[in-house]
Amino acid sequence: MAGPKPLDRRQVLANLPLFQKLEEREIDGLLAVTTTRKLDARETLFRKGDRSDQLFAVIEGRLKAVSAGADGKEVVFSLMEPGETIGEVSILDATPRSATIVALEPTVLLSLHRRDLLPFLERNPRVTIRLAEVLAQRVRMLSERFEDSSFLPLSSRLAKQVLSLSRSFGRTTPEGVRIELKLPQAELGELVGTSRESINKHLRHWAQEGIVSFESGYLTIHDLLALENATRALDG
């Protein structure tokens, strides 16, 4: 996969939500200390417990953040797409990485080293505030997922996750909203904390009802309202 041309890196950096309000000279200063990294599909960016000294921004591709649950099974915390940043927490406090990051498809990233980023944050409080907002959003997301896993039945959790994926990766087609992210049922199960077999059972039921279809790893939603109603179901 070809990465961005050298002249494109500046525009990519300027378009990142974290840096959108910076002046040109500030972008130029950051650009001088960025590097580009490429990952193949299924390649690991870093592992939980690794040293943390870089912040990454996704240019192309998609990744997942995973960790082992109490039962030893892999739990997916989040999916990341172009425009998102990775490693904000540990880059600030220099603690080991809190999760493992794996590319779902060929991926290109921009990398900023901690030794260059921290002085920049000290000089640019607007970026520091925006970084705090990003971290707050992550905390709210994790809190919501914990509440969902504690109080919602599987059918509701799965419906919420599918709708979330449709908002991030969906494309409207004549058949419905196709999620343009190849996500095996095992990985979809990791996102909602269940087995591939349980995901298969629910998707087959929804397919029989005409709500979704699942083909070659891609999910298409045919009835958004039915999924929205499923998020409020009282039982699975």
Side-chain angles (χ1 to χ4, degrees):
M1 177 186 58
K5 299 177 182 179
L7 292 178
D8 292 339
R9 286 201 304 159
R10 188 183 191 286
Q11 182 176 356
V12 168
L13 196 62
N15 288 337
L16 288 174
L18 200 58
F19 304 127
Q20 278 181 347
K21 296 183 179 180
L22 293 180
E23 298 178 2
E24 291 187 7
R25 60 178 179 80
E26 294 169 329
I27 292 293
D28 290 337
L30 275 178
L31 184 62
V33 294
T34 60
T35 57
T36 303
R37 180 166 176 181
K38 300 178 184 179
L39 299 176
D40 295 325
R42 306 298 168 186
E43 185 175 351
T44 298
L45 175 62
F46 54 74
R47 297 187 180 278
K48 182 177 180 178
D50 283 355
R51 178 184 176 187
S52 54
D53 57 6
Q54 289 175 291
L55 176 75
F56 297 95
V58 185
I59 303 173
E60 299 176 11
R62 298 180 177 96
L63 308 96
K64 63 178 180 178
V66 301
S67 186
D71 56 2
K73 294 182 180 179
E74 188 175 89
V75 176
V76 178
F77 289 123
S78 62
L79 301 178
M80 288 145 287
E81 60 181 321
E84 295 193 58
T85 49
I86 301 169
E88 302 92 346
V89 174
S90 43
I91 200 68
L92 290 175
D93 60 12
T95 55
R97 299 293 188 184
S98 59
T100 297
I101 304 295
V102 180
L104 292 172
E105 57 192 37
T107 297
V108 180
L109 305 136
L110 281 184
S111 171
L112 279 165
H113 201 281
R114 185 174 190 268
R115 64 172 177 266
D116 300 309
L117 183 59
L118 289 185
F120 180 83
L121 293 177
E122 291 174 355
R123 298 190 304 269
N124 295 273
R126 288 174 299 170
V127 179
T128 305
I129 292 172
R130 176 55 186 152
L131 182 58
E133 292 172 350
V134 170
L135 294 177
Q137 290 168 3
R138 298 277 171 86
V139 170
R140 282 195 295 270
M141 179 193 70
L142 291 174
S143 177
E144 182 180 357
R145 288 197 61 183
F146 176 77
E147 290 181 1
D148 288 351
S149 65
S150 299
F151 303 113
L152 290 181
L154 174 56
S155 59
S156 297
R157 301 202 310 271
L158 180 57
K160 285 189 69 172
Q161 186 60 62
V162 170
L163 288 171
S164 176
L165 290 170
S166 74
R167 289 189 290 271
S168 297
F169 308 111
R171 177 175 62 88
T172 301
T173 72
E175 292 75 31
V177 178
R178 175 184 164 95
I179 298 175
E180 296 292 348
L181 174 65
K182 191 170 186 179
L183 197 66
Q185 292 182 15
E187 291 186 353
L188 190 53
E190 292 165 4
L191 279 169
V192 295
T194 192
S195 65
R196 184 195 65 80
E197 291 76 15
S198 293
I199 294 297
N200 182 266
K201 174 184 176 181
H202 279 78
L203 291 180
R204 281 192 288 108
H205 173 71
W206 286 348
Q208 292 169 358
E209 297 290 323
I211 299 172
V212 303
S213 58
F214 196 87
E215 184 176 0
S216 302
Y218 292 95
L219 188 68
T220 298
I221 303 171
H222 305 294
D223 192 339
L224 285 169
L225 181 59
L227 278 188
E228 290 169 357
N229 290 336
T231 67
R232 299 182 288 272
L234 296 179
D235 56 60

